[in-house]
Amino acid sequence: MKDLLRKCFSGSSQRSIAGAALVVAFFGVASRILGVVRDRILAAQFGAGDVLDTYYAAFRLPDTLFELVVAGALGAAFIPIFSGLLVADEKERAWRAAQGVLLAVIGTVGVIAVALWICAPLFVRGIVPGFDTEKLTTTITLTRIMLLSPILLSVSAVLGGVLVSFQRFIYNAAAPILYNIGIMIGAKVFVPLIGTTGLAWGVVCGAVLHACMHLIDVHRIGFRLRNVRITDVSHNRDVIKTMTLMVPRMFSSASNQVSLLLVTFFASTLAAGSITIFTFANNVQSVVLGLFGIPFAVAAFPVLSGAFASGDAEGFGDVLSRTLRRILYYAVPLSAIFFVLREQIVRIVYGAGHFSLADTQTTYQVLGIMCVSLFAQSIIPLLARGFYAMYNTKTPFYIALASQTINVLIIMALIRQWEIYAIAFAFTITSIMNASLLFGYLHRSISDDQYRTTLRAILQIATATVGVIIVTVFTRNFLGEVLPRQYVLGVFGQLVGAGIVGIGAYLFVTGIFGMREFETVRKKIIIRIFSKPDVASEAQKISVAQ
């Protein structure tokens, strides 16, 4: 049995992870595209001003509740336990554990949401001290409506953990698409009918759709609420173990949420629109996370958990090392391209309607600062899950706490001189510090050969990325002289042309280095160009073997 598991979690696991990551990334791209459409609608309709500042500020309490109690904490604690029960062929016990965790999480989040609804004026006033009375009142109203969303999303989180453990990713990955659709419905349908509160009801609508997507798929694999009893929570040792493991991860999530709360706190004292600008810049740069960082981390997590549960240290290290290299291979050059073409990206995405030229300029400058740490942001989800798979939730918490302490100090030191740019700079330094410490501690779990291979890959990727920056800058400037920059079509031409040339340069240089990841991409490109059946078939076999 152990040999079988070793085989599962070594070579073949990489194909499983790559395939699962492809599914997650595909729907992630679709969700990000809809997110761009959503943000463009909001930017054009309201601009970077009071309305969107109150809207994004109102997210803070519901998001903090969800992220603190449910999102990262639940996944880190529940998936390893549930996956371990499945590996041990204790399916009925796994279902009872899932049912108990679902009840416990809904009850906990529901009680806290009611308490926050009652105390919303007190909390919101502390989060946005720079808001005037009118903005404060609107923020409180929107917050109270949005507090329904974490209750609904907590259902999605538990059921999503079940689906990931069964390595069923499609519905779980597609759910955020419906969430974005709900928000767009709020902006385009609810707002004209009921005013600004329509934005908050759009968030609730999206959360309902998100939960329904998960309910459909878990029903197909046999999950049912059977003979619900309070003992499913209070006397189930798997539920108790899950909730116990969640506590340190909750503190880790709390440190991240404190950072976001501080961003809102300080940005509320700056010029109107500062909260919106930071949020828009963060949404753009997080596209890379949605494409590579999160999909690979989500796909690798159950494999890492299963490898650790079966005692396969070699397989654990191999999966971790290979997945890390894959993320960096794709994320680093894309981060560089985002940095070089940040102006063009922001102008295309947000430059319409009430979003002014000054708003655009500030947004792409903030985006440029944040892009510097994109490589670190992309690997943090995987590195953190590496610890969680080993039932170690304390180390990531201590690292996150130290990083966020630095974040606070930087913001407080620079906010007066740099304003919104101080927040972006602190965000970047914190992300790099967090990723460096996580990797520094976790690399002990991989062999010396895997460690050297990873370092060599990082050096090759960094060298190739330097070439990407040089070529992309040259192409951008050349196209800027040829194409009319004042028109959207000209800006789009710069973005597409320079982006394609930059990616091509990266593939060329990594091909010279002979990186395996490049071989997969190169063969897929050859298949597209020379669509002979025999060539395609052979290359497909090579791609699967990769």
Side-chain angles (χ1 to χ4, degrees), residues 57-362:
F59 265 105
R60 289 282 58 84
L61 277 182
D63 267 10
T64 299
L65 171 57
F66 177 70
E67 293 292 335
L68 178 64
V69 180
V70 182
L74 180 63
F78 174 64
I79 291 178
I81 292 175
F82 191 81
S83 298
L85 292 175
L86 294 179
V87 169
D89 200 22
E90 297 189 60
K91 194 171 183 179
E92 183 60 31
R93 180 179 165 188
W95 287 133
R96 301 301 300 182
Q99 176 173 292
V101 171
L102 179 63
L103 295 174
V105 170
I106 291 176
T108 302
V109 173
V111 170
I112 298 175
V114 171
L116 290 176
W117 190 94
I118 296 171
C119 302
L122 176 64
F123 283 109
V124 172
R125 194 174 290 111
I127 293 172
V128 285
F131 280 9
D132 58 31
T133 302
E134 183 178 356
K135 290 178 67 175
L136 184 64
T137 301
T138 302
T139 305
I140 293 171
T141 301
L142 298 181
T143 298
R144 283 176 160 167
I145 297 171
M146 289 185 190
L147 280 170
L148 291 170
S149 64
I151 301 174
L152 296 164
L153 293 176
S154 65
V155 175
S156 294
V158 177
L159 301 184
V162 172
L163 295 175
V164 168
S165 297
F166 275 92
Q167 299 193 31
R168 295 174 65 93
F169 298 98
I170 293 180
Y171 279 73
N172 188 48
I177 295 176
L178 298 183
Y179 183 72
N180 281 324
I181 290 175
I183 294 176
M184 288 189 286
I185 290 173
K188 302 303 291 184
V189 179
F190 297 164
V191 169
L193 294 175
I194 59 177
T196 306
T197 56
L199 291 172
W201 284 113
V203 173
V204 175
C205 175
V208 171
L209 297 175
H210 195 280
C212 288
M213 200 66 160
H214 287 86
L215 286 168
I216 292 172
D217 205 25
V218 294
H219 187 270
R220 291 180 174 180
I221 60 176
F223 178 75
R224 304 287 190 279
L225 289 177
R226 300 185 179 91
N227 301 322
V228 177
R229 302 182 301 271
I230 192 64
T231 54
D232 291 335
V233 177
S234 60
H235 290 78
N236 188 310
R237 64 180 183 274
D238 297 313
V239 176
I240 295 173
K241 185 177 181 181
T242 299
M243 303 304 286
T244 302
L245 287 172
M246 283 175 62
V247 174
R249 181 65 180 102
M250 287 170 61
F251 287 112
S252 178
S253 298
S255 67
N256 297 330
Q257 289 304 308
V258 166
S259 174
L260 293 174
L261 288 171
L262 286 169
V263 167
T264 306
F265 178 90
F266 286 112
S268 72
T269 65
L270 303 175
S274 295
I275 296 175
T276 301
I277 286 172
F278 182 88
T279 302
F280 280 172
N282 187 43
N283 288 347
V284 170
Q285 62 105 39
S286 66
V287 168
V288 177
L289 299 180
L291 283 173
F292 303 112
I294 295 175
F296 274 103
V298 169
F301 190 30
V303 182
L304 290 170
S305 299
F308 183 80
S310 64
D312 187 4
E314 181 182 347
F316 180 93
D318 185 62
V319 170
L320 182 67
S321 176
R322 288 177 179 268
T323 307
L324 178 64
R325 296 199 301 271
R326 285 176 178 267
I327 293 174
L328 290 174
Y329 178 82
Y330 296 114
V332 172
L334 193 57
S335 304
I337 291 174
F338 266 55
F339 176 82
V340 174
L341 301 176
R342 60 192 182 279
E343 178 182 357
Q344 288 74 21
I345 293 173
V346 172
R347 288 182 63 183
I348 290 295
V349 175
Y350 299 122
H354 291 86
F355 204 76
S356 67
L357 179 61
D359 296 334
T360 301
Q361 291 173 337
T362 305

